[in-house]
Amino acid sequence: MTKLKSLALCALVAAAVLVARNVDASVPPPGDTVASDAELRYLASIGGLYRNKGTDGAGEAYSGITAVLPRVDDVRMIWWVDNEIVSGVGELDRYSLVVRWGEKYPAVYSSPEDGVLAGEWDDGAGAETLELFAAIDPDPAPVPQGRYQLEGLKPDGTAYRGTVSIMRSGESFMLVWQAGTESHRGKGKRQGNLLQVSRADGTPAIYALASDGTLRGLLGKGRGEETLTPVR
């Protein structure tokens, strides 16, 4: 009985200490694997399609396209640079987004400022800047299909207009671009609110799907852009 009384007394003392320090025992301590509401809001807020510019460990410049896809308590990132596609998973570590992408050192990004994520990789030897082009909605967007008005800019800055037809076939999407005398075809696959399209000319076109049915995309290593507006 004496031992039981001692245990009960210890429990009461511990509870009193928690109250005195205004500590909520149900809240995970810092560093716990459970993401807080603030962290979840942050991860959702950086979802988007980005232009990517950087330098590798050898000092060579590169450009491309990066997508940040929010998930339950982390983000999936996909890079399209030259002919490579690289993906990784990012989690918050204090004020930084740490992305594991299969290499020895992770990519680390600072908190965004004005839609820009600045990061480094290869233990600081490589660096890149991600500039937001289009936000990616967390809620499901309409299925992309039908006829669209096309407005775009080529990588050299030349503007063009035309139409795009999107046809769904199972899990795949067939796209046909018509702008003046130019015509292109491509095959796409949807991942959440992202449509990844491989064009017949070998270049990818990556689109963010919006809740109003509009598609905003990057192509040509992120230097070209397109907006597809559904024809009602």
Side-chain angles (χ1 to χ4, degrees), residues 41-163:
R41 286 195 298 270
Y42 170 85
L43 292 173
S45 72
I46 62 174
L49 188 60
Y50 292 79
R51 286 189 169 95
N52 183 339
K53 293 182 179 179
T55 54
D56 62 21
E60 295 291 330
Y62 63 86
S63 63
I65 304 167
T66 301
V68 180
L69 305 173
R71 303 194 296 189
V72 176
D73 55 5
D74 59 21
V75 296
R76 182 166 186 240
M77 292 185 67
I78 310 173
W79 294 263
W80 292 266
V81 178
D82 294 327
N83 295 320
E84 291 188 67
I85 301 176
V86 179
S87 65
V89 175
E91 296 179 326
L92 282 179
D93 183 0
R94 291 183 175 271
Y95 303 106
S96 299
L97 179 66
V98 179
V99 184
R100 311 287 175 183
W101 58 294
E103 297 295 327
K104 181 179 180 181
Y105 300 106
V108 182
Y109 298 87
S110 59
S111 296
E113 292 186 13
D114 299 324
V116 175
L117 282 167
E120 59 181 37
W121 53 282
D122 195 14
D123 200 25
E128 65 181 20
T129 300
L130 308 183
E131 180 183 343
L132 182 65
F133 171 72
I136 292 180
D137 254 336
D139 298 323
V143 175
Q145 56 186 347
R147 193 164 178 268
Y148 295 77
Q149 293 291 338
L150 163 66
E151 292 188 5
L153 289 174
K154 293 182 178 180
D156 64 4
T158 303
Y160 60 91
R161 293 187 176 187
T163 61

